[in-house]
Amino acid sequence: MTLTHSTGHAPRFGLKRLAAVVAVSVMTSVGALAGLAGAAHAAPPTAEVNTTGLAVTDTEVTVGILHSVTGTMAISETGSVQAEKLAIAQINASGGILGRQIKVVQEDGASDWPTFAEKARKLLVSDKTAAVFGCWTSASRKAVLPVFEKENGLLYYPTFYEGLEESPNVFYTGQEATQQILAGIDWVMKEKGAKSFYLLGSDYIWPRTSNKIARKHIEMNGAKVLGEEYFALGHTQFNSAINKIKLRKPDVIYAIIVGGSNVAFYKQLKAAGVDLSKQTLLTISVTEDEVLGIGGENIAGAYASMKYFQSLDNPNNTAFVAAFKEMWGKDIVIGDVTQAAYLGPWLWKAAVEKAGSFDVDKVRAASPDIELTTAPEGYVKIHPNHHLWSKTRIGLAKPDGQFEVLYETAELMEPDPFPKGYQ
């Protein structure tokens, strides 16, 4: 993974430059892809790189992974664990970070927000991890946030989310709402002539806040919202909502249902005779990871607004997909959040090496303007607000479980977690 420490604030655009950086189209071994990171750094004395009592020795640095591998969110979060472990294995194979190998302590949030907070406290207070890669839902992130801020820990959070947050203790490697939502709605209104929408979501902060932003953008552009409904996490009975949709006939079903509930929703939608090749559905919550459980045949024809799809055609992604499949199996799939999770350890490595220290305050100060020029999605850069510049893309779900990329923004979108007029 090529890492650059930029001093300017304007991002550099385009994939042509990346082809010159990545000279090989397919690298299937972890060691080969890790070689992009460059030569290993000599290990400076521990007393110089760890002045705050973190779990750093002369040979190791300990980090945490905190995701749900059980419960309703496991369908979505397992890929993040796999991606973070792949990145860490590649970093270790390339010589580690400041001459030290990364040791992982993994905890299961179990799809339960108090459990996330409890495990976060363990990772920071007992394990003294130098960084944590974790969470998926905004509910889990909100649960751990006070812990990270009190203990001055560092969290790399991979999920697209509602924005309206900028913590000094979190780096957000997924998109905030305006990056994902606004471009997607603009596309469907232009390409499909959409004038009416029906909003659906799971009942917690991310879908509700995202739909609030979506509604404002829809109405500001002269379209109407015909209905809006929310369902508890794990909900499996959607027939009543589907009947309302069939009755009101919106141009677009706008769906932000998360976790295992997606399986029931899309199967019931198809069983009710809703043909997604005729009824436009745009989701910001279903990636290839969820489609694996839903079944490609049950969601084919739907559109998704994301920054990453496994089918992206660039040398960086070709190498990433090959390495991911080698480590986790040839039938594995990779979704948007999985790719964003993969970025976390690389961004942390770059900041640590730029700072010459594992100390959280120094890593945080070194992070703005760090670039990853060989990220699988193409190119990202850390904004001073701790979010990433990135492109937004629209994908069409296919029966084989993959997405065909139909559109991408011409340039990277600047993250704006506190958008005027949408709060």
Side-chain angles (χ1 to χ4, degrees):
M1 179 70 67
T2 298
L3 308 168
T4 307
H5 314 313
S6 170
T7 56
H9 290 280
R12 299 196 295 272
F13 305 119
L15 294 177
K16 291 182 179 178
R17 182 179 52 154
L18 301 178
V21 175
V22 185
V24 62
S25 61
V26 179
M27 290 176 284
T28 57
S29 73
V30 167
L33 188 54
L36 289 173
H41 292 259
T46 299
E48 292 182 7
V49 299
N50 178 31
T51 68
T52 57
L54 298 172
V56 180
T57 69
D58 291 342
T59 59
E60 286 185 337
V61 55
T62 301
V63 302
I65 288 179
L66 176 58
H67 288 289
S68 298
V69 294
T70 58
T72 189
M73 291 309 303
I75 186 177
S76 298
E77 297 194 55
T78 299
S80 296
V81 175
Q82 293 169 330
E84 288 152 1
K85 287 184 175 180
L86 171 62
I88 289 167
Q90 292 172 339
I91 291 168
N92 282 341
S94 71
I97 180 168
L98 294 186
R100 290 160 173 84
Q101 293 287 287
I102 301 172
K103 175 185 175 182
V104 175
V105 176
Q106 183 178 343
E107 296 292 345
D108 180 12
S111 305
D112 178 71
W113 321 143
T115 299
F116 266 95
E118 174 192 339
K119 298 299 187 180
R121 189 171 293 106
K122 172 188 176 294
L123 288 171
L124 296 180
V125 177
S126 300
D127 298 314
K128 299 187 182 302
T129 55
V132 176
F133 308 98
C135 300
W136 199 103
T137 67
S138 288
S140 64
R141 189 192 72 257
K142 290 292 188 183
V144 306
L145 188 60
V147 180
F148 277 87
E149 292 184 341
K150 178 183 178 183
E151 304 298 338
N152 197 29
L154 204 54
L155 173 67
Y156 286 81
Y157 175 68
T159 315
F160 32 68
Y161 86 113
E162 70 279 357
L164 307 180
E165 184 178 296
E166 183 181 334
S167 171
N169 295 88
V170 182
F171 286 94
Y172 309 81
T173 64
Q175 292 185 309
E176 51 79 24
T178 65
Q179 291 174 302
Q180 187 185 24
I181 293 171
L182 303 189
I185 291 175
D186 287 346
W187 178 86
V188 80
M189 293 180 77
K190 178 182 178 182
E191 295 299 323
K192 300 296 181 180
K195 298 295 184 183
S196 61
F197 292 72
Y198 201 104
L199 311 182
L200 300 173
S202 294
D203 193 6
Y204 71 99
I205 184 172
W206 173 55
R208 282 190 173 273
T209 306
S210 295
N211 272 336
K212 180 181 178 182
I213 292 171
R215 177 184 279 270
K216 286 192 176 183
H217 195 64
I218 288 164
E219 293 174 347
M220 285 167 56
N221 283 277
K224 296 180 179 180
V225 174
L226 302 182
E228 185 171 353
E229 292 191 59
Y230 296 92
F231 313 92
L233 284 169
H235 186 81
T236 58
Q237 298 299 323
F238 292 95
N239 288 322
S240 176
I242 292 169
N243 287 336
K244 292 176 188 176
I245 290 169
K246 292 174 71 174
L247 181 65
R248 297 181 188 181
K249 296 180 171 58
D251 294 332
V252 179
I253 302 169
Y254 193 75
I256 319 180
I257 295 167
V258 306
S261 295
N262 279 300
V263 178
F265 174 67
Y266 287 97
K267 286 184 176 181
Q268 289 168 22
L269 199 64
K270 183 177 181 180
V274 178
D275 184 349
L276 295 182
S277 68
K278 298 176 181 177
Q279 167 65 65
T280 301
L281 184 148
L282 178 62
T283 177
I284 62 170
S285 60
V286 173
T287 75
E288 291 88 338
D289 293 297
E290 288 78 20
V291 173
L292 194 62
I294 294 167
E297 70 280 4
N298 294 314
I299 196 173
Y303 299 94
S305 177
M306 303 282 166
K307 69 172 182 171
Y308 172 86
F309 294 101
Q310 183 180 321
S311 60
L312 278 181
D313 185 14
N314 69 62
N316 313 327
N317 192 46
T318 299
F320 168 62
V321 171
F324 199 94
K325 285 179 176 289
E326 182 181 349
M327 187 169 192
W328 299 111
K330 63 182 179 63
D331 296 326
I332 203 75
V333 297
I334 306 167
D336 180 285
V337 182
T338 298
Q339 190 265 169
Y342 176 76
L343 303 180
W346 290 103
L347 291 167
W348 176 65
K349 170 184 165 67
V352 168
E353 291 181 346
K354 181 181 176 183
S357 174
F358 293 102
D359 293 351
V360 169
D361 290 341
K362 295 175 183 177
V363 172
R364 175 170 46 239
S367 292
D369 301 319
I370 282 177
E371 304 167 316
L372 267 62
T373 60
T374 49
E377 66 185 83
Y379 169 90
V380 297
K381 179 178 178 178
I382 299 179
H383 193 281
N385 63 25
H386 286 201
H387 295 71
L388 301 184
W389 294 81
S390 61
K391 290 190 174 186
T392 296
R393 299 173 169 96
I394 301 295
L396 172 65
K398 301 192 300 180
D400 67 357
Q402 290 295 306
F403 287 84
E404 177 187 353
V405 180
L406 303 179
Y407 166 82
E408 68 176 34
T409 52
E411 296 184 340
L412 300 178
M413 299 185 70
E414 182 175 8
D416 183 11
F418 295 95
K420 292 182 180 179
Y422 289 91
Q423 297 181 43

